[in-house]
Amino acid sequence: MTRTRMILAMILTYMIFAMLLNSVGTVILQSIQGFGISKADASLLEAFKDLPIAITSFLVASFLPRLGYRRAMMLGLLLVAAACVAMPLLQAFWATKLLFATVGVAFALVKVSVYSSIGLLTDDAKAHAALTSTVEGWFMVGILGSAWLFAAFINADAPGDPVWLDVYWVLAALCIAVIVLLATCTLDERAAQDGHAAGESFIDMFRLLALPLVAVFLVSAFLYVLMEQAINTWLPTFNREILHLPTTLSVQAASIFAGSLALGRLGGGVLLRRIPWFWLLSACVVAMAVLVLLALPLAANVQAREGMTWWNAPAAAYVFPMIGLLMAPIYPAINSVVLSALPKSRHAAMTGLIVVFSALGGTTGSYVTGQLFAHFDGSRAFYLLLAPMAMLLVSMVLLQRAVSKRQGSVKQVA
């Protein structure tokens, strides 16, 4: 029962951060319409979120076993609750920067804690992969809920109306509720603390970078997050400006991407029990490229018209976001592969590196796509995702070879 309650607390914590982290696309759209911010300036919001994630993860990940993963999650939620309360009170674009910077710092604490706790709550690689996919699947459900939650507070008749900021009162209340739940949980963290003092754990992050397995994995994680965040952040704007959907519908339609990610991630956990990870993920990347080439031409020459609803929206509004089904299994699978290959005492340091490179990938993807949106049309910006798809396929080939080589080395030692 204690284990179940802890897993529930982890999932709920992750879902709250999913709502906040992936609201960037909606906040960008609302900032452009409500605060009069340019697209180039709005694109920097991703950096205010991701750079603090990267910096905080790098500096504190290796020290979290000493603080305690459960306490670190509670601290992260408390910081975010305070930042959410500030949003409707301040009603300014600089406050959104403060919010995302705070969310970034807090998410670094939470993600390292959640991923490291998964290792403490599971006994083998299959169980680790299953719980990782489940937690990440519910993260996607949080993204899906975020789109509808934010859309519910947007004034359809006056999209720039600051009434949408009231959504942050709800998010602050959710943070407090999960803090109370975490306070009632227990987690045996002794295995994470064995064998490493704080300073040694920090140095261990650099030692991990020297492993071929880790280096190739980090490239793969960077490329994946670059693509996911590019789509997730700019899909509402793509829907509004290229497909000419109303603002509220643009935000709601973006939830198709989040929903397909959730289904794909939860389903991927089942498929990974039966199909080798390399072949499943390789097929997903190839299918992603095919979908881009089939779906984006549907967005060409879409004309604006009155009374656009779910029933008469362009086909591209439904087809392109389905790329999430194919993307979904990749990230948790490669994370589980590398963490399962390392002892539990190194999971915090490894997760710190995962978060750093994921954050850098997210910032790069959002910023580059934002600049392309500002200078070209959105369809052309999304076509360029074919390049990182090709590079991801190559990096996964190298990752599979590195995993096989390491497994061979471990067997020889045994």
Side-chain angles (χ1 to χ4, degrees):
M1 191 67 178
T2 300
R3 179 179 181 273
T4 301
R5 192 163 64 247
M6 186 63 204
I7 291 174
L8 175 62
M10 289 164 51
I11 287 173
L12 292 175
T13 300
Y14 230 44
M15 289 179 70
I16 289 173
F17 277 89
M19 293 181 184
L20 286 162
L21 290 166
N22 292 277
S23 68
V24 176
T26 301
V27 175
I28 283 176
L29 181 58
Q30 289 304 103
S31 296
I32 292 172
Q33 297 183 126
F35 299 132
I37 303 301
S38 69
K39 291 176 186 175
D41 289 339
S43 69
L44 294 175
L45 280 182
E46 193 78 43
F48 275 90
K49 167 175 68 74
D50 287 338
L51 292 181
I53 292 175
I55 294 169
T56 305
S57 297
F58 181 75
L59 293 178
V60 308
S62 58
F63 296 89
L64 285 186
R66 295 169 64 86
L67 172 63
Y69 298 139
R70 186 176 61 89
R71 285 194 290 268
M73 285 184 250
M74 295 171 68
L75 175 60
L77 287 165
L78 184 61
L79 291 172
V80 166
C84 285
V85 169
M87 281 293 287
L89 297 179
L90 297 174
Q91 297 190 11
F93 183 64
W94 68 266
T96 67
K97 297 179 182 178
L98 176 63
L99 170 73
F100 284 116
T102 304
V103 169
V105 170
F107 184 63
L109 302 177
V110 165
K111 184 162 184 175
V112 172
S113 298
V114 168
Y115 264 59
S116 300
S117 297
I118 289 173
L120 298 174
L121 294 167
T122 55
D123 298 321
D124 55 49
K126 286 187 176 180
H128 191 286
L131 185 53
T132 302
S133 293
T134 299
V135 171
E136 287 286 352
W138 282 104
F139 185 88
M140 294 301 121
V141 173
I143 297 175
L144 177 62
S146 176
W148 288 88
L149 179 63
F150 274 79
F153 283 83
I154 295 173
N155 184 341
D157 297 323
D161 188 340
V163 70
W164 71 275
L165 293 169
D166 288 341
V167 69
Y168 289 103
W169 292 114
V170 176
L171 291 166
L174 291 174
C175 289
I176 298 302
V178 179
I179 289 173
V180 173
L181 176 60
L182 280 166
T184 67
C185 296
T186 58
L187 179 67
D188 186 355
E189 303 183 27
R190 288 173 294 179
Q193 299 167 352
D194 290 345
H196 287 284
E200 293 173 348
S201 296
F202 183 75
I203 295 172
D204 194 39
M205 294 180 70
F206 295 95
R207 293 183 181 137
L208 286 169
L209 286 171
L211 297 177
L213 168 67
V214 172
V216 175
F217 160 78
L218 292 175
V219 172
S220 302
F222 176 89
L223 290 169
Y224 172 83
V225 177
L226 182 151
M227 292 185 295
E228 183 186 298
Q229 287 302 312
I231 296 173
N232 188 66
T233 301
W234 288 97
L235 190 55
T237 304
F238 174 83
N239 289 338
R240 180 72 184 90
E241 297 191 351
I242 305 302
L243 302 182
H244 305 291
L245 302 182
T247 299
T248 301
L249 184 57
S250 296
V251 175
Q252 292 173 340
S255 68
I256 298 173
F257 178 63
S260 63
L261 281 171
L263 290 175
R265 201 151 284 181
L266 293 171
V270 176
L271 292 175
L272 286 167
R273 298 175 186 270
R274 298 169 172 80
I275 304 173
W277 70 268
F278 174 73
W279 295 112
L280 176 63
L281 302 191
S282 296
C284 286
V285 174
V286 173
M288 284 163 53
V290 172
L291 184 60
V292 167
L293 295 173
L294 292 176
L296 290 183
L298 297 175
N301 302 317
V302 172
Q303 300 298 318
R305 61 181 185 270
E306 295 294 329
M308 190 89 75
T309 67
W310 281 102
W311 301 106
N312 59 5
Y318 298 96
V319 177
F320 180 67
M322 298 303 291
I323 195 173
L325 280 172
L326 303 169
M327 297 180 70
I330 298 173
Y331 189 69
I334 60 176
N335 285 341
S336 183
V337 165
V338 72
L339 287 171
S340 296
L342 298 171
K344 294 179 181 180
S345 59
R346 305 186 81 176
H347 282 198
M350 184 64 240
T351 305
L353 292 176
I354 291 173
V355 177
V356 168
F357 280 80
S358 296
L360 294 175
T363 296
T364 303
S366 178
Y367 180 75
V368 171
T369 307
Q371 295 303 311
L372 291 171
F373 260 79
H375 295 90
F376 303 99
D377 66 81
S379 294
R380 195 172 304 177
F382 282 152
Y383 268 121
L384 292 178
L385 291 174
L386 293 171
M389 286 179 195
M391 290 187 284
L392 177 60
L393 189 59
V394 173
S395 69
M396 287 198 307
V397 171
L398 298 176
L399 178 62
Q400 195 271 341
R401 292 178 180 176
V403 170
S404 298
K405 184 175 181 180
R406 182 171 180 82
Q407 289 174 341
S409 299
V410 171
K411 289 179 180 179
Q412 288 179 1
V413 172

